[in-house]
Amino acid sequence: LSAAAVAGASPLSVKAVELESFHLGNEFDLIDARELATELTRATSASGTNQSSVSQLIALCQFKLRQLNDKITSSTGEDLGKLLSVHDLMIEGISAGESWTHKLETERRLSDLNESGHSMLSTGLSNEATTTEGKSEALRDIFGLLCHLRGRKEQTRIKAVRSLLSITRRESAQEQQQIHQSGGLSSLLTLFQSSAESPVLMTLSALNVVYLIPSYTEPVGNIDIMAVVDCLHYLIASSGLDAGADFDITPAEVFHACENAMTFVWMNYIEPRICFSERSLGGGG
């Protein structure tokens, strides 16, 4: 072992290196074995001890313990008491060293897990906060757009209803329910009925209605169902399903949206009245 290696080591590792050099070149020495065991026990309770030094001391003690066991086995009994006393010290030292090492490794693993978990939690909370903030902002935007449907300028109303269309087309349950809870369906029907001189506003409002109506969960008596039918008629009859062409909506998409809206009107308005009429006629007969 070089002097540079010894000089660059910590006090504990210097001791371990010195002891290792001594053991490799000398026969078993009982006093030296006792000092080695004591050094290992002391290292496990000292502050600033590094794991490599303790590991090296454990290896040296294990080596000396094997030598000691050979001495005990071949002992004639005259020095057996001293040998057993050092044997106990070495067992205690090795046990303390292994326990210290195991504890250190466990703490390190827990620390790594905690850091990883904290990082994941922080990322998760950050993402959740961002998502929640984004949703809140989106909901505020919906309310603001609905307010702009009543704007004095036609361009303002067009911009608002077009922005709403990008939302209703996504068919997000939360966003659509927010529109319903804010009275958006009634506002869109009113806009459609009051925009006879603006084909763009009529088309945009009608498209919004047909995308929105399937998610309506309140009693249909709360809305003007015939105005919904007028929107359907306008999109299908007057524009030949090409109404959405100027808004990047294909005729097939318009047809599908109208189909869903018709299904809603049939199941929630027309069919119940047919059933009611049949029951009334049957009861009257």
Side-chain angles (χ1 to χ4, degrees):
L1 292 173
S2 67
V6 174
S10 66
L12 283 173
S13 62
V14 168
K15 179 67 175 177
V17 169
E18 291 173 346
L19 288 170
E20 180 180 18
S21 178
F22 177 82
H23 297 317
L24 291 176
N26 296 276
E27 295 293 330
F28 176 79
D29 182 272
L30 191 62
I31 296 176
D32 181 65
R34 181 187 294 111
E35 290 180 354
L36 189 59
T38 302
E39 179 73 15
L40 177 55
T41 302
R42 186 183 300 116
T44 60
S45 59
S47 60
T49 303
N50 62 70
Q51 187 175 356
S52 63
S53 295
V54 173
S55 297
Q56 189 176 28
L57 285 169
I58 291 173
L60 291 174
C61 281
Q62 289 172 335
F63 172 74
K64 299 306 291 184
L65 181 61
R66 288 192 295 271
Q67 289 185 320
L68 178 58
N69 288 334
D70 291 338
K71 288 289 183 181
I72 293 174
T73 301
S74 60
S75 174
T76 58
E78 183 177 339
D79 58 350
L80 184 59
K82 292 181 180 179
L83 293 174
L84 291 175
S85 176
V86 174
H87 182 276
D88 290 342
L89 284 176
M90 299 204 74
I91 292 294
E92 290 175 4
I94 292 171
S95 177
E98 290 177 342
S99 296
W100 182 91
T101 301
H102 177 71
K103 180 181 178 182
L104 183 66
E105 291 176 347
T106 300
E107 290 175 349
R108 184 178 293 120
R109 285 195 298 269
L110 288 174
S111 177
D112 292 342
L113 287 173
N114 287 335
E115 288 181 6
S116 176
H118 178 71
S119 177
M120 292 175 65
L121 179 60
S122 298
T123 302
L125 290 174
S126 176
N127 290 340
E128 182 178 351
T130 301
T131 301
T132 302
E133 182 179 348
K135 288 180 178 178
S136 299
E137 183 177 353
L139 296 182
R140 287 196 300 270
D141 288 346
I142 287 173
F143 183 75
L145 292 174
L146 292 174
C147 291
H148 285 307
L149 294 182
R150 304 181 182 90
R152 292 185 178 182
K153 295 181 179 180
E154 180 178 337
Q155 196 58 39
T156 298
R157 298 195 298 275
I158 290 175
K159 184 177 180 180
V161 74
R162 187 164 188 167
S163 296
L164 275 173
L165 182 59
S166 67
I167 296 173
T168 57
R169 285 183 67 193
R170 288 201 295 262
E171 298 179 321
S172 163
Q174 183 183 21
E175 291 174 335
Q176 293 205 353
Q177 285 307 310
Q178 178 65 21
I179 294 174
H180 287 306
Q181 292 168 8
S182 302
L185 184 59
S186 295
S187 296
L188 288 164
L189 290 171
T190 299
L191 180 64
F192 174 79
Q193 293 173 321
S194 63
S195 302
E197 297 182 359
S198 175
V200 174
L201 278 176
M202 289 189 72
T203 300
L204 285 169
S205 55
L207 286 168
N208 270 290
V209 168
V210 297
Y211 276 111
L212 196 59
I213 191 63
S215 62
Y216 189 75
T217 58
E218 297 296 320
V220 292
N222 294 349
I223 59 173
D224 186 351
I225 199 69
M226 296 312 297
V228 175
V229 174
D230 287 341
C231 289
L232 284 164
H233 180 267
Y234 177 81
L235 291 174
I236 295 172
S238 62
S239 301
L241 297 181
D242 291 325
D246 293 335
F247 314 109
D248 298 322
I249 305 176
T250 66
E253 288 181 272
V254 176
F255 178 82
H256 182 66
C258 289
E259 182 182 25
N260 290 337
M262 287 179 186
T263 300
F264 174 88
V265 172
W266 171 263
M267 294 182 64
N268 294 277
Y269 184 79
I270 299 176
E271 188 174 39
R273 278 160 175 74
I274 292 174
C275 292
F276 177 77
S277 297
E278 288 177 347
R279 286 197 300 269
S280 296
L281 291 173

